[in-house]
Amino acid sequence: MNKRAINFWLLSPLSTCFVLVCFFCPPVFCNDAHFSSGKTAVAVPFELDDNLIYVRVSVNGSRPLSLILDTGAHSIIHARHARTIGLKLKMIGKAGGAGANQPDVYLVTDKVSFSLPGVALSPPLLLAMSLDAAESCVNEFNIDEEGRDIASDKSKQSGAKRDVDGILGKQFFDQFVVEIDYARRLLNVYDRSSYKYAGSGKDIPLEIGEQHIFARAQIKARGRALLTGRFLLDTGSVQAVSLMKPFMNEHRLLPSTEGMTSFPACGLGGHEKERSWIGTLEALQLGEFKIDAPVTEFRLADPNTDADGIIGGAAFRRFKVIFDYSRRRMILEPRSDLTK
C-alpha cells in the first residue's frame, strides 16, 4: 500500500513576519471569551477526516464556516471569506509553512467574533490568507487512522469536496480548557478558571510558545536505544510522527528506504520541492503511553521549526486528549473503544 507524506503542520505559518508584527491588543480585543447562558462547559460536535478535526464556526455572524482545529497554528480565515465578510486586512508578508508557493498573509485589523455552539471568543490575533492550496492538499489524499494514504480507495476523488475555510488555532486553546473526545466526535470546552480534572488520565507537561506547544517524548528506531526529543504537538498534522532533518541526521535515523515511498509534503504553499519518506518507527513513547509502529514521516526538507519532530493526529486520536494551556499540561486518557 502506498503511503504519502501529508503533513498539515504546514497550516502553522512560521514566517518571521509574524514576529515582527508587534501586534498591540486593545482591551476590546483581548480576553473576550464567554459561554452562553452562564454555562461553564459546552459540548461542540466536530467532523474527523484524514485525522484532521473540522468544527463549524460563524465569523461575525456569517454562515457556519469549516475550520480545522489546530494546536500548531495561529487562527486563520481564508482571505476570500474575510473579504466577503468585509474584514479590514493589512498585508504583512508571506506564509512560512510547507509548499513551494507561499500565499500572502494579511493581519485582520477589525475585532472579530468567532461563534461555536454555546461559546464565543474574539481572537486577539487573526490572520487571513488564501487556503486554496491547503484545500487542494486535503482533497487530494485519503488518509486512514494510522496516517497512511489509502491509494486504492478513490471515494474521496469522486465524493464531495472538503472545504477549508480557516483554522481555529492557539487563541482558542489559550482561552479555554479543550477536551477532544475522538470516540464521540465532541469538543468539550470548559472554563479554564473553574476547571478541575477528575479522571484517570496522565499529565504530559507542556512548553507553551508564542504560537506552538511542545512536549518531551521518546522514539525508538529498530535496533536502537530510546531517543528523547522535543516535539511540536500538532492536531493539524495527519501522521503520528514526523522527524525533522537535523534530528534525523544527528542520530542517523533514516532507515533503509526499501519498501518505503517518497512524496513531497503538502501544505499552505502546495507541494514541497523536497520529498519525504514515509515509514514506521518501532515505537513512540509519550509519557507513560507507548504507541507501537507509528506511521512516521522522515522529512528531508530543511525545517522551519527548532523542534526535533512533530506528533500529530494519528497519535492523538488513540486517546481522549485534554489541552489545558493555563496549567501547562496535556492530559491523555486511552480510548476504551480501541483494541490494543
Side-chain angles (χ1 to χ4, degrees):
M1 180 180 294
N2 288 336
K3 306 171 188 176
R4 303 203 180 195
I6 318 304
N7 196 315
F8 288 98
W9 72 287
L10 56 95
L11 298 173
S12 314
L14 292 166
S15 173
T16 55
C17 69
F18 300 144
V19 178
L20 297 176
V21 167
C22 299
F23 183 75
F24 173 72
C25 183
V28 293
F29 277 47
C30 296
N31 301 320
D32 187 3
H34 61 275
F35 294 90
S36 304
S37 304
K39 296 180 179 179
T40 58
V42 296
V44 179
F46 68 80
E47 296 178 77
L48 188 65
D49 191 6
D50 295 334
N51 298 327
L52 299 174
I53 295 167
Y54 292 84
V55 292
R56 308 296 288 182
V57 180
S58 176
V59 181
N60 283 9
S62 73
R63 65 172 177 82
L65 303 177
S66 180
L67 272 60
I68 293 175
L69 184 73
D70 193 345
T71 55
H74 288 301
S75 293
I76 300 169
I77 185 171
H78 199 311
R80 70 165 174 256
H81 295 305
R83 294 187 177 100
T84 299
I85 295 168
L87 300 178
K88 295 178 182 177
L89 307 179
K90 178 182 179 181
M91 185 173 175
I92 58 174
K94 293 281 187 180
N101 299 295
Q102 292 299 315
D104 293 332
V105 180
Y106 300 87
L107 180 68
V108 177
T109 60
D110 294 314
K111 182 179 179 180
V112 177
S113 176
F114 279 9
S115 298
L116 294 77
V119 65
L121 74 153
S122 293
L125 173 63
L126 179 62
L127 304 174
M129 65 187 73
S130 173
L131 296 176
D132 288 342
E135 192 173 89
S136 294
C137 291
V138 164
N139 285 286
E140 183 177 351
F141 305 108
N142 194 4
I143 308 299
D144 71 7
E145 63 185 16
E146 299 295 327
R148 298 179 176 89
D149 181 38
I150 310 172
S152 61
D153 186 345
K154 304 300 182 183
S155 62
K156 194 159 190 179
Q157 296 179 17
S158 60
K161 176 174 169 289
R162 166 67 71 179
D163 293 329
V164 178
D165 298 324
I167 309 296
L168 184 59
K170 184 174 184 292
Q171 293 76 19
F172 180 62
F173 293 93
D174 282 338
Q175 296 298 323
F176 303 100
V177 174
V178 181
E179 177 184 275
I180 304 175
D181 187 340
Y182 283 96
R184 299 174 63 198
R185 303 293 195 268
L186 287 175
L187 296 182
N188 294 307
V189 184
Y190 300 97
D191 174 73
R192 63 184 183 177
S193 62
S194 60
Y195 178 75
K196 293 182 179 180
Y197 180 70
S200 59
K202 303 300 181 181
D203 286 14
I204 307 292
L206 295 181
E207 173 194 340
I208 300 178
E210 180 184 353
Q211 177 181 350
H212 300 119
I213 57 171
F214 306 88
R216 308 296 290 185
Q218 294 178 306
I219 60 165
K220 190 176 190 309
R222 287 171 178 80
R224 304 283 298 277
L226 281 170
L227 288 171
T228 300
R230 175 175 174 264
F231 286 81
L232 190 158
L233 305 182
D234 189 359
T235 59
S237 174
V238 303
Q239 263 84 40
V241 181
S242 296
L243 297 180
M244 299 295 103
K245 182 178 177 181
F247 187 68
M248 286 194 298
N249 289 345
E250 179 184 356
H251 298 287
R252 300 181 181 178
L253 288 173
L254 184 63
S256 168
T257 56
E258 183 178 354
M260 296 172 66
T261 305
S262 74
F263 283 90
C266 196
L268 280 178
H271 291 96
E272 275 277 22
K273 293 179 180 178
E274 298 87 352
R275 303 173 79 83
S276 295
W277 290 97
I278 302 296
T280 59
L281 290 166
E282 183 176 316
L284 166 68
Q285 188 78 34
L286 187 55
E288 298 185 12
F289 302 108
K290 179 182 177 183
I291 298 176
D292 292 318
V295 172
T296 302
E297 176 193 10
F298 297 86
R299 189 170 175 79
L300 301 183
D302 291 330
N304 48 11
T305 173
D306 60 357
D308 297 318
I310 299 166
I311 297 173
F316 291 131
R317 66 177 296 161
R318 300 166 185 249
F319 304 90
K320 179 186 288 185
V321 186
I322 301 165
F323 290 103
D324 185 357
Y325 284 21
S326 63
R327 296 168 182 84
R328 295 184 174 272
R329 63 178 177 172
M330 173 178 68
I331 304 170
L332 297 181
E333 294 182 13
R335 285 175 55 179
S336 60
D337 60 313
L338 296 182
T339 57
K340 294 185 179 180

